[in-house]
Amino acid sequence: MPEALIIASAKTVDETGSLKHCLELEQTLQQQKARITELTIDPLSTPWHSELQPNHYRSGCGPLEALSHARHLIKRGEADAVVISGKDMLRTGYQRQERLDLMAIYGDDYPLTTAYNELAEQFLHRHGADAELFQQLAHHLFENYKCSYRNVVSDQLIAEQLPDERWYNHITPLFRGVDCANPLIDFAGRILISSSAIAQQLTIPADTCLEISGVGLGFLPGDGKQHVEDIVSYDHLKLAYQAACHQAETDFAEQFRQGKALLETYTCYPVVPIAFLLASGLVDLLEQVPAFLEQHLITITGGMNLAKGPWNNPALNSLIEMHQQMIASPGHHIGAVHGNGGLGYKQGVAILKKWA
């Protein structure tokens, strides 16, 4: 079977950046009569409960579902190239109340902050832990995100973009403003995926390509308040992680501990990255999380809290960043990207490897 490669990626964030490189390659492929499939990540303006259109994806796991589909199409020879695209002008494209209304996906009686708090309560109950430990973990997570963020922005921007003090206050007993994804961002991104034959035809340098080595997906039958207890088992996340490692024929956790791998966990609220650390075997107990976070960065962007979270597109942003950082980093040969859909009923893990 052909290898499925990410051969190009591009994004714009708040009017910074350009999609030109990807668009030019796509145009070249069109001129060559290549079979191109486009997979689209829905924006916030597409109602959450509306019918999903063919080749469209929704939720924070959507970009990884699209990546899995793209990998399938290329490896089966059903497409020459696949484009995964997403665009959401969350900062400038919506009135504040309109944005809040569209984000109320579980109804006005069950706001996301309440849902996050219930998820944390059930998670702690399952692990026999208390609120004090959870608040310590949330603190250590945010400090970890800040360390990653310093690697990708200037010191001046760090000072300008760190949240105001009021966001460190608790909104609910187990949830601070800084613990949440910051949605105020205008984002557009594209990833171009092809076989190695197409990459060579386009004379793409081998050392700028990443192989999509594995994509594991784990779904529960339902999402929302009545499914919180099922979600916090995170058995479906463990299955997704194991499937990705099996496809990629690698022990990602071991590679990461040795400093050979990059990781982007999904950080929309603290339970999710903690669950990833447990499900992947990077830690065995909640009490081990602080020491682990002092030694290892679990995002390459600063997480959705600092790099901001464009609704259904954060994992697309993460895949683009992973592609760009891995090809610029000689010491890292493997990377993993995690996606979380809804309250967590969908989980996805992608493992990417340098092709050259």
Side-chain angles (χ1 to χ4, degrees):
M1 284 188 178
E3 297 165 304
L5 306 177
I6 295 176
I7 63 171
S9 66
K11 65 175 180 174
T12 64
V13 174
D14 291 338
E15 300 178 353
T16 299
S18 171
L19 304 178
K20 182 180 178 182
H21 177 55
C22 270
L23 293 172
E24 287 178 345
L25 286 174
E26 292 167 34
Q27 186 177 37
T28 298
L29 286 170
Q30 289 168 355
Q31 292 169 348
Q32 295 175 354
K33 309 298 182 184
R35 297 168 300 157
I36 305 173
T37 299
E38 182 159 359
L39 307 178
T40 303
I41 311 304
D42 283 342
L44 176 65
S45 56
T46 303
W48 184 261
H49 298 288
S50 63
E51 182 180 354
L52 198 62
Q53 298 302 306
N55 289 342
H56 281 244
Y57 298 85
R58 195 177 304 157
S59 93
C61 191
L64 295 184
E65 294 176 68
L67 193 73
S68 178
H69 187 189
R71 181 175 184 265
H72 172 89
L73 290 171
I74 296 298
K75 291 182 79 66
R76 295 291 182 89
E78 296 173 18
D80 297 316
V82 180
V83 177
I84 302 176
S85 67
K87 182 178 181 179
D88 215 341
M89 301 293 106
L90 286 164
R91 184 172 61 86
T92 62
Y94 304 83
Q95 295 296 320
R96 180 176 182 275
Q97 191 57 51
E98 178 189 15
R99 185 173 61 245
L100 292 174
D101 289 344
L102 286 165
M103 288 182 174
I105 59 177
Y106 305 112
D108 295 335
D109 296 333
Y110 196 55
L112 286 174
T113 50
T114 300
Y116 296 161
N117 202 77
E118 287 193 11
L119 202 74
E121 288 175 343
Q122 288 285 345
F123 185 77
L124 292 174
H125 176 72
R126 187 178 186 90
H127 290 274
D130 59 19
E132 182 180 0
L133 176 60
F134 186 79
Q135 289 162 1
Q136 290 174 6
L137 299 183
H139 166 76
H140 284 285
L141 283 168
F142 190 69
E143 291 303 307
N144 193 275
Y145 306 156
K146 286 198 290 187
C147 290
S148 299
Y149 196 54
R150 288 190 180 98
N151 290 336
V152 293
V153 299
S154 67
D155 290 340
Q156 180 181 351
L157 282 177
I158 281 279
E160 291 174 358
Q161 296 186 14
L162 283 179
D164 294 336
E165 285 301 316
R166 61 192 174 99
W167 292 107
Y168 291 83
N169 297 327
H170 278 85
I171 298 170
T172 73
L174 294 173
F175 190 73
R176 305 172 301 167
V178 294
D179 296 328
C180 182
N182 180 348
L184 296 181
I185 184 175
D186 287 347
F187 172 85
R190 301 179 82 82
I191 292 176
L192 181 58
I193 298 158
S194 79
S195 66
S196 55
I198 292 294
Q200 290 164 352
Q201 181 180 315
L202 292 171
T203 65
I204 305 293
D207 59 2
T208 67
C209 298
L210 296 184
E211 181 187 359
I212 306 168
S213 295
V215 187
L217 301 172
F219 301 159
L220 293 177
D223 191 32
K225 183 178 178 67
Q226 64 271 36
H227 298 283
V228 166
E229 192 171 344
D230 294 331
I231 290 168
V232 297
S233 75
Y234 287 104
D235 290 338
H236 54 309
L237 170 53
K238 187 173 184 178
L239 288 172
Y241 171 78
Q242 291 175 340
C245 286
H246 177 73
Q247 292 169 25
E249 299 180 341
T250 192
D251 181 344
F252 176 81
E254 183 59 27
Q255 295 286 314
F256 187 72
R257 288 191 198 96
Q258 293 178 12
K260 298 177 181 178
L262 296 176
L263 172 63
E264 180 77 7
T265 56
Y266 200 86
T267 68
C268 50
Y269 42 95
V271 170
V272 180
I274 295 170
F276 180 89
L277 295 178
L278 290 167
S280 63
L282 285 168
V283 301
D284 297 315
L285 301 168
L286 291 180
E287 290 78 7
Q288 296 172 345
V289 170
F292 183 85
L293 293 175
E294 288 182 4
Q295 299 295 321
H296 303 282
L297 297 179
I298 64 168
T299 76
I300 56 172
T301 62
M304 299 161 61
N305 320 60
L306 292 171
K308 303 183 182 178
W311 196 237
N312 292 324
N313 286 290
L316 179 60
N317 178 57
S318 299
L319 289 166
I320 293 167
E321 276 294 322
M322 188 63 74
H323 174 234
Q324 295 179 357
Q325 289 199 32
M326 279 184 67
I327 64 177
S329 175
H332 298 106
H333 302 282
I334 186 169
V337 173
H338 169 217
N340 174 93
L343 282 187
Y345 80 117
K346 288 185 172 184
Q347 297 291 329
V349 179
I351 293 180
L352 310 175
K353 293 181 180 179
K354 284 185 176 176
W355 186 46

